């Protein structure tokens, strides 16, 4: 069988300005899968940067010298129908979307879904979320409304429609903007602190945490507010993330899903997760005591319901809060993420195999099995020699560094993601201390402090 993995992008990419180093490389990971499944040919088609699928060299994707049964293809077209035709010319028997993310809009799953529609019309079976599903996840207010509709707990929130917000303008015949007054009226009913964020965008970028009503009014009236916003209660508790793998059966109106155990996230000084600063530790809820404490059975039931109602068809990542009694869903991201590489490292398999084995999950014949205690931590940018030194450590499973040479601000220049594993939690703690000692001249103490706090 010829199996196609594809992903698209919406952004101009300058490969000369970005250096990405992945250890083990994605080329090595796909070679591993091809060697394990010699009965299949694998096709990898992507637009740059091709995150999770390909290694890049400037504005090109790296080729494998080891296995000729892997065809890597850089998509040339920009329009969804033309992309589908380009992919169809590769003659796949089955296609699977491996969506990634870009700044500033986390909307690539929508583009992949449109391509999937055309592929299916051409008679190519395709595993990919629908346009409707991807759009609900992209628009955070639609996510909120959908969760309320299906009875999945989420934070209480108020929606601010920017066009109506400014609709009064300078019209002399208006005494007041009734819509704006109604938003303020509803905000007064919320419990503070609240988070004010765009309805679209990527993760928590641009979000504000405010502690009282006057602060909220000040931000919404400021020049910073130039788009629709959500004003959302900040749920106290521990923050987590987990992934859902599976397929939806349209004819039977149900799905078969694998809910992976949650990982705990660190938070910044404002109490929210930050993609470039977050530490991930887990999995949580494996032992009987923890499973009861964190009500893992209830969590899985809630996420199974979410997956079926949303008709998830592929891979999705869910952000969660546990307040000690109840689970709340914050966001749903219908794509691959840093959680994907973390789970792969924890399971002892390359990400390519995690994605491929989802085909078996859809048939109800596979479980991802045991996950080892794992920590995902961030380093500042390191020289290549240090990256190789990191990867040589027996407990380091994955290293991924992104360096943007064109960035003007230090926080935009990049970071190095390191994933550690251990046979048990005590062993992982020892590995963390060992890493901290070996790389004392390069670490940022805050990340290691967060890591130990999470355990």
């Amino acid at each position: 069988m010829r199996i196609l993995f594809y992903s698209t992008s919406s952004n101009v990419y300058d490969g000369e300005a970005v250096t990405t180093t992945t250890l083990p490389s994605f080329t090595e990971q796909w070679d591993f899968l091809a060697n394990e499944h010699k009965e299949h040919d694998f096709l990898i088609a992507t637009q740059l940067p091709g995150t999770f699928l390909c290694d890049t060299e400037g504005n090109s994707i790296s080729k494998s010298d080891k296995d000729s049964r892997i065809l890597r293809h850089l998509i040339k077209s920009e329009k969804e129908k033309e992309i589908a035709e380009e992919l169809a010319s590769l003659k796949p028997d089955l296609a699977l979307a491996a969506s990634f993310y870009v700044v500033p809009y986390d909307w690539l799953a929508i583009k992949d879904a449109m391509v999937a529609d055309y592929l299916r019309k051409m008679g190519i079976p395709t595993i990919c979320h629908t346009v409707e599903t991807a759009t609900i996840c992209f628009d955070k207010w639609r996510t909120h409304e959908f969760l309320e509709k299906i009875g999945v707990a989420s934070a209480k929130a108020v929606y601010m429609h920017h066009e109506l917000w400014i609709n009064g303008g300078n019209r002399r015949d208006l005494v007041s903007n009734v819509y704006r007054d109604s938003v303020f009226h509803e905000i007064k009913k919320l419990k503070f602190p609240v988070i004010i964020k765009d309805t679209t965008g990527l993760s928590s970028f641009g979000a504000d945490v405010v502690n009282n009503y006057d602060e909220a009014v000040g931000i919404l009236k400021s020049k910073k507010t130039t788009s629709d916003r959500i004003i959302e209660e900040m749920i106290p508790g521990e923050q987590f993330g987990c992934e859902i793998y599976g397929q939806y059966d349209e004819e039977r109106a149900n799905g078969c899903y694998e809910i992976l155990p949650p990982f705990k996230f660190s938070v910044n000084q404002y109490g929210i997760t930050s993609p470039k600063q977050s530490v991930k530790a887990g999995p949580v809820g494996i032992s009987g005591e923890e499973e009861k404490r964190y009500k893992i059975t209830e969590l899985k039931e809630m996420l199974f319901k979410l997956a079926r109602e949303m008709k998830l068809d592929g891979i999705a990542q869910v952000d969660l809060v546990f307040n000690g009694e109840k689970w709340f869903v914050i966001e749903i991201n219908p794509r691959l993420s840093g959680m994907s590489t973390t789970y792969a490292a924890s399971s002892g398999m390359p990400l390519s195999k995690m994605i491929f084995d989802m085909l078996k999950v859809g048939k109800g014949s596979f479980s991802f099995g045991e996950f080892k205690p794992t920590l995902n931590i961030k380093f500042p940018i390191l020289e290549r020699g240090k990256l190789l030194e990191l990867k040589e450590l027996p407990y380091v499973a994955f290293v991924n560094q992104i360096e943007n040479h064109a960035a003007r601000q230090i926080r935009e220049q990049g970071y190095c993601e390191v994933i550690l594993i251990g046979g048990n939690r005590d062993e992982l703690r020892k590995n963390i201390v060992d890493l901290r000692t070996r790389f004392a001249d390069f670490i940022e103490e805050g990340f290691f402090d967060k890591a130990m706090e999470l355990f």
Side-chain angles (χ1 to χ4, degrees), residues 58-323:
N59 290 309
S60 302
I61 56 177
S62 303
K63 307 290 183 180
S64 172
D65 297 326
K66 294 183 178 180
D67 204 312
S68 60
R69 292 179 304 105
I70 300 180
L71 171 65
R72 288 172 173 82
H73 177 80
L74 187 60
I75 298 172
K76 301 177 182 64
S77 307
E78 289 299 330
K79 299 295 183 180
E80 291 77 21
K81 184 177 180 180
E82 293 175 1
I83 292 173
E85 291 170 348
E86 191 174 330
L87 297 180
S89 70
L90 302 176
K91 302 187 183 306
D93 298 307
L94 172 69
L96 192 154
S99 306
F100 56 91
Y101 54 89
V102 291
V103 177
Y105 296 118
D106 195 357
W107 57 9
L108 300 188
I110 301 176
K111 187 171 182 179
D112 287 344
M114 290 188 282
V115 172
D117 279 349
Y118 288 114
L119 289 174
R120 293 183 185 114
K121 289 179 181 178
M122 296 176 190
I124 300 171
T126 304
I127 299 172
C128 180
H129 306 297
T130 66
V131 173
E132 176 72 6
T133 296
T135 304
I136 289 172
C137 296
F138 170 62
D139 184 332
K140 300 303 182 285
W141 181 248
R142 288 192 65 181
T143 304
H144 179 83
E145 290 185 311
F146 183 85
L147 293 173
E148 279 195 336
K149 178 181 178 181
I150 66 174
V152 170
S154 61
K156 187 177 179 181
V158 174
Y159 171 54
M160 187 275 279
H161 187 295
H162 187 256
E163 187 174 349
L164 295 176
W165 181 262
I166 63 173
N167 195 44
N170 296 317
R171 298 181 182 179
R172 297 179 180 179
D173 53 336
L174 288 179
V175 177
S176 63
N177 183 327
V178 175
Y179 176 77
R180 183 180 294 190
D181 292 342
S182 73
V183 172
F184 288 144
H185 180 79
E186 293 303 304
I187 290 175
K188 289 179 181 178
K189 299 177 183 178
L190 299 178
K191 293 181 181 178
F192 286 84
V194 299
I195 301 173
I196 300 178
K197 60 185 181 181
D198 287 329
T199 58
T200 59
L202 179 66
S203 191
S204 59
F205 289 122
D208 291 290
V209 177
V210 298
N211 296 306
N212 56 61
Y213 173 77
D214 289 337
E215 286 183 28
V217 171
I219 287 177
L220 292 175
K221 283 186 173 181
S222 71
K223 293 181 179 180
K224 182 178 180 179
T225 301
T226 58
S227 60
D228 292 4
R229 292 295 180 94
I230 297 177
I231 303 90
E232 183 178 80
E233 289 185 353
M234 191 169 176
I235 302 170
E238 299 171 274
Q239 301 205 20
F240 294 84
C242 75
E243 283 193 327
I244 303 173
Y245 286 65
Q247 298 177 42
Y248 184 78
D249 188 330
E250 190 69 47
E251 292 184 1
R252 298 181 181 179
N254 63 15
C256 182
Y257 300 101
E258 182 81 6
I259 310 294
L260 303 194
F263 270 70
K264 187 181 292 188
F265 291 171
S266 69
V267 297
N268 60 19
Q269 67 268 35
Y270 304 109
I272 57 178
T273 59
S274 173
K276 295 181 180 180
Q277 296 179 339
S278 177
V279 176
K280 305 177 182 71
V284 173
I286 300 298
S287 67
E289 182 180 342
E290 254 192 9
E291 185 176 13
K292 184 177 180 181
R293 173 188 170 190
Y294 284 106
K295 300 185 177 181
I296 299 300
T297 299
E298 293 181 17
L299 171 64
K300 288 188 173 182
E301 289 175 352
M302 179 182 75
L303 293 181
F304 272 122
K305 179 179 182 180
L306 183 153
R308 288 192 297 267
E309 295 288 345
M310 189 163 273
K311 301 180 181 179
L312 294 179
D313 195 34
I315 301 167
Q317 185 264 330
V318 184
D319 288 338
L320 303 150
V321 173
F322 181 67
N323 71 352

Side-chain angles (χ1 to χ4, degrees), residues 238 240 264-269 277 279-282 284 290 293-294 375 377 425 429 432-433 436 445-455:
E238 299 171 274
F240 294 84
K264 187 181 292 188
F265 291 171
S266 69
V267 297
N268 60 19
Q269 67 268 35
Q277 296 179 339
V279 176
K280 305 177 182 71
V284 173
E290 254 192 9
R293 173 188 170 190
Y294 284 106
L375 178 76
I377 195 169
R425 290 189 181 179
R429 288 190 190 95
I432 295 170
V433 173
R436 185 175 192 165
E445 286 296 320
F447 285 111
F448 280 87
D449 293 339
K450 290 177 182 178
M452 299 309 289
E453 287 174 10
L454 290 180
F455 282 103

